[in-house]
Amino acid sequence: MTTEFRLAIGAALRQDRVRGNIRRAMDGLVTKRREAFPDPQERESLRDEGAAIRAESVARLPELLEELERTCTGNGIQVHWAETGADANQIVLGILRAAGANAILKGKSMVSEEMGLNEFLQRQGIEALETDLGEIIIQLAHEAPSHIIAPAIHKDRAEVAALFRKHFPDQPPAQQIEELTALARTVMRERFRGMTAGLSGVNFAVAETGTLCLVENEGNGRLCTTLPDVHIAVMGIEKVVARLDQVPTLLTLLTRSATGQPITTYVNMISGPRRAGEKDGPTAVHLILLDNGRSRIHADPELSATLRCIRCAACMNHCPVYARLGGHAYGTVYPGPIGSILEPQLQGLAVRGEMAEASSLCGACAEVCPVRIPIPRLLNRLRYEAVSTRAASPTLGHGSRRLVVQSGIWRLWSWTCAHPRAYRALTRLLGLLRRLQPTRLPPWTDTREAPRLAPESLHRQARAAGFSDRA
């Protein structure tokens, strides 16, 4: 069956320019990560520490979220709970209406992409203005992010220059990266003036102190969170950590794994609205905690490891499948290996179960994950859940990809393997009929040669060589 996902893969493989851009970008990020961890022993020690911190955060999630709400409220941050993306959008809209805002500055936030916030606000007559350079580029191009830390990584310099010429014809033409960055800065500086509300994501929220940690390189995030009177922070509930002293380890892992940087240019620690005597900062800070299926993931002891993710994208940068397809082929907010375990759980296996099959299971993603998420094992678990009829499974859409014929074949094969006489008879029969074996088994043989059955089974060859079943 040719599904929408498979059609998108076929289209992606025909885009040579995009594939070249992504390949070069991935190679650069892989090299930078390798250079950022020159000492393997230190790297593995950091990964152990990071995995332990995130495992603790996930294990204590309900308790830490309650503590986070108490400490944030104590700091003057208004905390909101959203069960779905639609709920979160309505909360944002209510805050903007109360503030009299008809536009909002946006720092980079994958959760807002998950909510479909920009499209929702547009329908309400409110402009959502992206401020991260990569997000600006894809907003101008009317595209979705193709990578979770570098949204426009699929575009090259010439494409960005052409895009800027089209949208900013009154500005001096720019060609070089420095010129393009300066042009974006000039345009955006004007838009920052007089804005009432700003929105950001959250990298980590500290339950102990009620602190929202946000890292970035361009300064736009700091402008979004300090210039407007109202700051709205949106985060998935899994971003909470227990203590402030856990954040340096996670930041070290995040920045080195993502871009090879020892630390980002800006590290923002937001602990409340502007206080008496302070000269800048918002007068109101809102924190929206989005569930959107994460509680369901948390309920499964094995699959809950998905929630450890710190969104560094190292798994994407090292994934041979992502490097050849790019993010748009997945058709989801979160692409690549982490998307292939997260999206089927958020949206259900009936909708996104095919993503778990888009992996070679080479294990590169698990080898580089800074918090040791066992992605290949979880992919296999989701593949099992997709065809399982286990009634107790908390995974949305479990069993939805079960095919009666396929299930019957595997049952027959299982029975045959458990009965030696039947197995020997079957393999001998197949060996005799090997000339009738089809040479084409589409779509598998579209890119491979069909394997040929041996004239004699390995078992018969071993016996002929003198090996005994009873040895």
Side-chain angles (χ1 to χ4, degrees), residues 5-20:
F5 185 37
R6 291 178 189 273
L7 289 172
I9 289 173
L13 292 174
R14 290 190 291 273
Q15 296 180 358
D16 292 339
R17 184 171 184 172
V18 171
R19 294 181 65 196

Side-chain angles (χ1 to χ4, degrees), residues 157-425:
R157 178 168 53 84
E159 289 176 294
V160 176
L163 195 64
F164 279 15
R165 278 198 302 275
K166 175 183 176 183
H167 288 272
F168 309 121
D170 56 333
Q171 295 290 330
Q175 291 293 335
Q176 302 305 315
I177 292 175
E178 293 78 7
E179 296 170 342
L180 293 166
T181 307
L183 191 157
R185 184 186 301 118
T186 300
V187 172
M188 292 309 300
R189 283 288 167 96
E190 294 301 317
R191 300 302 306 270
F192 278 115
R193 298 177 189 275
M195 294 290 281
T196 302
L199 182 140
S200 74
V202 177
N203 290 100
F204 305 106
V206 184
E208 176 187 45
T209 58
T211 305
L212 310 181
C213 178
L214 176 64
V215 296
E216 46 137 351
N217 280 314
E218 300 173 16
N220 65 301
R222 182 162 293 185
L223 290 169
C224 289
T225 58
T226 56
L227 274 182
D229 289 334
V230 177
H231 169 211
I232 304 171
V234 293
M235 62 173 263
I237 56 174
E238 79 278 16
K239 292 293 187 73
V240 66
V241 296
R243 302 187 308 278
L244 194 60
D245 63 8
Q246 295 174 329
V247 171
T249 299
L250 296 176
L251 288 184
T252 302
L253 285 167
L254 172 61
T255 58
R256 291 189 189 186
S257 302
T259 58
Q261 293 173 272
I263 193 68
T264 51
T265 308
Y266 298 90
V267 177
N268 306 286
M269 307 292 274
I270 301 164
S271 55
R274 184 194 311 177
R275 293 175 174 80
E278 293 180 341
K279 295 182 178 178
D280 56 17
T283 55
V285 177
H286 297 262
L287 173 63
I288 300 175
L289 298 166
L290 176 65
D291 186 315
N292 206 30
R294 289 164 172 80
S295 293
R296 191 175 56 249
I297 300 174
H298 182 260
D300 187 288
E302 183 180 32
L303 294 175
S304 63
T306 310
L307 300 178
R308 288 190 215 159
C309 179
I310 58 175
R311 304 291 190 267
C312 68
C315 60
M316 294 179 201
N317 302 342
H318 291 76
C319 176
V321 177
Y322 177 90
R324 282 158 180 78
L325 297 181
H328 287 162
Y330 291 84
T332 52
V333 172
Y334 305 100
I338 186 61
S340 295
I341 59 171
L342 180 59
E343 293 282 2
Q345 296 184 73
L346 292 179
Q347 299 192 50
L349 289 164
V351 180
R352 293 297 177 186
E354 204 172 16
M355 285 181 70
E357 300 166 12
S359 170
S360 64
L361 298 180
C362 67
C365 48
E367 286 188 19
V368 299
C369 177
V371 290
R372 298 193 185 283
I373 300 174
I375 295 176
R377 194 178 81 206
L378 300 187
L379 286 170
N380 270 328
R381 169 68 191 283
L382 289 172
R383 292 179 184 186
Y384 166 75
E385 291 293 342
V387 298
S388 170
T389 54
R390 187 168 64 96
S393 173
T395 309
L396 186 64
H398 67 91
S400 58
R401 298 181 62 76
R402 184 182 181 87
L403 300 176
V404 174
V405 173
Q406 191 177 63
S407 175
I409 291 173
W410 283 114
R411 280 179 179 274
L412 177 62
W413 180 247
S414 174
W415 181 88
T416 305
C417 289
H419 295 78
R421 288 185 178 177
Y423 178 82
R424 283 195 288 270

